[in-house]
Amino acid sequence: MREGEADPGLYDYLPYRDRPKIAWPDGKTVAVWVSPNLEFYELDPPANPHRKSWPKPHPDVVGYSHRDYANRVGHWRMAEMMEEHGFKGSVSLSVALCQHVPEVVENANRLGWEFFSHGIYNTRYSYGMDEAQERLIIEDSIRTVREATGQTIRGWLAPALTHTPRTLDLIAEYGMTYTCDLYHDDQPMPVATRSGQLISMPYSLEVNDHYGFFIYNMSPREYAQTLIRQYDRLADEGAQSGTVMCIPLHSYLIGQPHRIGAFEEVLRHIAADGRAWITRSGDIADHYLAQRGAVA
């Protein structure tokens, strides 16, 4: 992607109803993946001149401690419920969590969850980085996750959704196969990069619990109903060509006692419906790329 371009040419335009058909395993119509954001926030991080880390003057004890609920309580409650209903996580990981709270990472790894990078800290941003700095972040992510889990990360969600013009080219160069940073489609799509083979993995802002509770001010029941409507529509449309539904979560939000029950109804609905391929992001990428290669 070149700076200053109105259309950076990241992907081709393809009308929704005029594409090669995607077929998911066993005749399923929608691939469903849950993305717990396992994050670490610094109480008093270094200042970035392009964006403040906390809305209040540092140290923001309230914001920090609210988010720390995730690693102390919320993750464990959410993970137990996901496991009970047969959902494996695809983790958007603040890589520093491997050192700060290794117990959470170890638990997710034992459950068979996949890890992809969400940067090092969610309080340090890509804005203003030069290429050497951004390469170090990517290399640190690959090395740290491999040492902590034995996994090699294959996907990327930029820290706090912050980017540089070269981010997608760099992650493709380092061998990653999918980015979660494009919100433009309900199906995987090829992404144009200088090297490698990168696709966009449908993530979501619209049904992200952060947006549901902080932006749209939904009640737990309203958020659950939104997820069910999202699923039912994508499962219907996927009968023509397979769709993808991502459920992005932050356990300091969805893992609260007053919200988790409504979320369980969503998991129960999807698991019982019969049309969902309940899977992980890397498995979706593998299946899509294999099918696309066969078509090509």
Side-chain angles (χ1 to χ4, degrees):
M1 181 169 73
R2 294 185 291 274
E3 295 183 66
E5 290 189 351
D7 180 356
L10 292 175
Y11 42 79
D12 293 334
Y13 173 73
L14 290 173
Y16 189 36
R17 295 306 185 200
D18 187 22
R19 301 173 177 177
K21 181 174 181 177
I22 297 173
W24 299 132
D26 302 319
K28 304 299 185 181
T29 63
V30 56
V32 177
W33 66 289
V34 179
S35 184
N37 285 257
L38 303 187
E39 297 171 330
F40 195 86
Y41 294 78
E42 300 159 287
L43 177 61
D44 195 12
N48 185 307
H50 302 281
R51 176 177 167 181
K52 294 176 63 176
S53 298
W54 296 107
K56 298 179 180 179
H58 299 182
D60 187 347
V61 175
V62 173
Y64 172 85
S65 59
H66 184 201
R67 285 155 181 80
D68 200 35
Y69 182 90
N71 297 322
R72 300 174 63 85
V73 181
H75 163 74
W76 307 93
R77 182 178 288 134
M78 176 190 66
E80 288 170 0
M81 182 163 294
M82 288 172 57
E83 190 70 13
E84 179 181 347
H85 293 281
F87 289 77
K88 299 295 183 185
S90 301
V91 174
S92 168
L93 180 68
S94 292
V95 172
L97 196 68
C98 295
Q99 281 89 32
H100 289 286
V101 194
E103 295 87 349
V104 169
V105 176
E106 291 164 3
N107 172 258
N109 198 34
R110 282 196 304 271
L111 291 174
W113 292 12
E114 176 184 345
F115 296 88
F116 60 88
S117 180
H118 194 20
I120 308 301
Y121 292 97
N122 216 37
T123 37
R124 300 198 190 190
Y125 308 132
S126 300
Y127 298 143
M129 281 188 185
D130 61 30
E131 182 169 334
Q133 291 172 317
E134 194 165 14
R135 285 184 180 275
L136 287 174
I137 296 297
I138 296 169
E139 292 167 4
D140 189 341
S141 295
I142 295 170
R143 180 180 60 253
T144 302
V145 173
R146 185 178 290 148
E147 290 173 353
T149 70
Q151 296 188 33
T152 299
I153 59 172
R154 301 172 51 208
W156 191 266
L157 179 67
L161 310 186
T162 63
H163 319 85
T164 75
R166 70 188 75 86
T167 299
L168 297 179
D169 284 329
L170 288 179
I171 64 173
E173 178 186 326
Y174 279 93
M176 296 186 201
T177 55
Y178 66 90
T179 173
C180 301
D181 281 312
L182 300 172
Y183 310 98
H184 65 307
D185 218 289
D186 289 322
Q187 295 176 315
M189 285 286 135
V191 178
T193 53
R194 292 183 309 219
S195 63
Q197 186 176 45
L198 192 70
I199 65 168
S200 59
M201 180 62 59
Y203 190 71
S204 180
L205 300 181
E206 287 291 319
V207 296
N208 190 310
D209 63 348
H210 173 87
Y211 275 70
F213 298 129
F214 279 170
I215 307 299
Y216 303 138
N217 296 314
M218 293 179 179
S219 70
R221 178 72 58 213
E222 289 169 334
Y223 179 63
Q225 291 170 345
T226 296
L227 290 175
I228 289 171
R229 289 195 301 271
Q230 180 92 345
Y231 169 78
D232 286 344
R233 171 62 67 174
L234 289 172
D236 288 345
E237 294 182 357
Q240 295 186 47
S241 182
T243 53
V244 176
M245 177 178 178
C246 178
I247 305 177
L249 300 175
H250 302 76
S251 60
Y252 73 93
L253 297 172
I254 203 64
Q256 295 287 344
H258 68 100
R259 293 186 176 126
I260 196 71
F263 180 61
E264 183 173 22
E265 294 178 15
V266 176
L267 300 183
R268 188 179 291 118
H269 176 87
I270 294 172
D273 180 71
R275 293 177 291 173
W277 177 32
I278 299 170
T279 188
R280 303 176 304 177
S281 49
D283 300 321
I284 296 171
D286 285 343
H287 191 88
Y288 172 77
L289 286 169
Q291 195 170 123
R292 181 168 175 261
V295 171

